[in-house]
Amino acid sequence: MMKTVGGTEQNRVLIRSKAPLRLGLAGGGTDVSPYCDEYGGMILNATIDMHTFCTIEPLDNGRIIFEASDLGQRCECKTSEHIEIDGLLDLHKGVYNRIVKDFNGGAPLSFKMTTFSDAPAGSGLGTSSTMVVAMVNSFVEWLGLPLGEYDMAQLAYQIERVDLGFSGGKQDQYAATFGGFNFMEFYRNDRVIVNPLRIKNRIIDELELSMVLYYTGVSRDSASIIDEQITNTKQKNQQSIQAMHDLKNDAVLIKEAILKGNIREYAELLGRSWLAKKNLAHSVSNPTIEAAYSVALQAGAYSGKVSGAGGGGFIMFVVDPVARLNVVKELNKLKGTVVNFHFIKYGVKGWRA
């Protein structure tokens, strides 16, 4: 434990973790209840070299400090077995409350937690859920909690969706925890099956070279889009439900296309999935997204799709590698930004510094 003498820290302990963000390659939206409870959901996603980060510094002064350095938000309070959820850094507080309740016998902890992310919230890369995974993993590392991958992912899901009541699906927590390319199945009673895919390195290289990731510069409220999707499912809106059926079926076909290295087939299926996704809710697309999509196609892209719920954030395009630079050049003339990325094969990591 850290000791402070005259303002000088001795034996300082830092616990760090990082969790990777993900691209939703296929099936997005079918992991959201009640659709997956009634029909079953299927998702294909892959983690990329963009992360959320968390550092815990144990204290012995009876204080708790939360600081999200990328958001410019800070919260300090007395140590307690439960912190009120009041709209300021609720994800941080929600993680703390659950860890203390379930794994520390209700005994409060004193520490400073600092977090930041490589991508903004609302980017469509699963940032909020990935941050929860990073924070949970920091506590796992600090307290020596015996939690496996499924345990951590499910705990992160329960904190965000059940304890805090934030709308969303289930894929992000599992993608951040497991890492790599995964085909995921979602069923009633929160049953999740993660199927890691063994994709040849040459196929991953070709896929990277054939993809352009474009940030629209628009951070969107995914909750409102997801809430509309949930309402459509509950009200048996046939257009929305059929769109999710199509997305789920395309996820299986896209998985097979990528495993075989058939990028052109993947591009065709991705374009078809984007048309289906736009039938999930009215605000999935907008003029900014459609304008970027049109520019990319005119510059030589085969197809594209918004990553995440839609409404803004990142759009991933599939291109002929020969036309890649032209697509990048034309997209960079818009207000958004092309972001370079690489696929990675690892999930959340924690360590002591």
Side-chain angles (χ1 to χ4, degrees), residues 40-61:
M42 293 182 181
I43 294 277
L44 174 65
N45 56 37
T47 45
I48 60 176
D49 57 349
M50 299 172 68
H51 301 81
T52 62
F53 301 86
C54 176
T55 294
I56 289 179
E57 178 183 343
L59 302 175
D60 59 2
N61 62 0

Side-chain angles (χ1 to χ4, degrees), residues 144-162:
L145 305 181
L147 299 182
E149 291 169 322
Y150 277 99
D151 300 322
M152 275 198 294
Q154 177 64 9
L155 177 60
Y157 167 78
Q158 290 178 351
I159 291 169
E160 187 175 9
R161 306 290 180 234
V162 180

Side-chain angles (χ1 to χ4, degrees), residues 311-324:
F314 282 88
I315 310 174
M316 50 186 183
F317 294 102
V318 183
V319 306
D320 182 336
V322 174
R324 177 185 176 87

Side-chain angles (χ1 to χ4, degrees), residues 77-90:
C77 60
K78 291 181 179 180
T79 185
S80 170
E81 67 179 75
H82 182 87
I83 303 175
E84 181 183 357
I85 304 300
D86 58 3
L88 177 61
L89 300 179
D90 285 347

Side-chain angles (χ1 to χ4, degrees), residues 103-132:
F103 302 101
N104 210 47
L109 299 165
S110 179
F111 61 93
K112 178 181 180 182
M113 174 185 283
T114 305
T115 61
F116 64 93
S117 173
D118 285 335
S123 63
L125 302 181
T127 308
S128 297
S129 300
T130 305
M131 181 62 77
V132 174

Side-chain angles (χ1 to χ4, degrees), residues 256-290:
E256 294 173 357
I258 290 178
L259 283 170
K260 295 174 181 177
N262 192 333
I263 306 301
R264 190 61 188 269
E265 182 182 357
Y266 163 55
E268 293 174 1
L269 291 166
L270 187 74
R272 190 171 77 182
S273 281
W274 172 235
L275 294 177
K277 189 177 184 69
K278 288 194 284 186
N279 286 325
L280 295 183
H282 291 97
S283 51
V284 167
S285 190
N286 55 44
T288 299
I289 293 173
E290 294 299 326

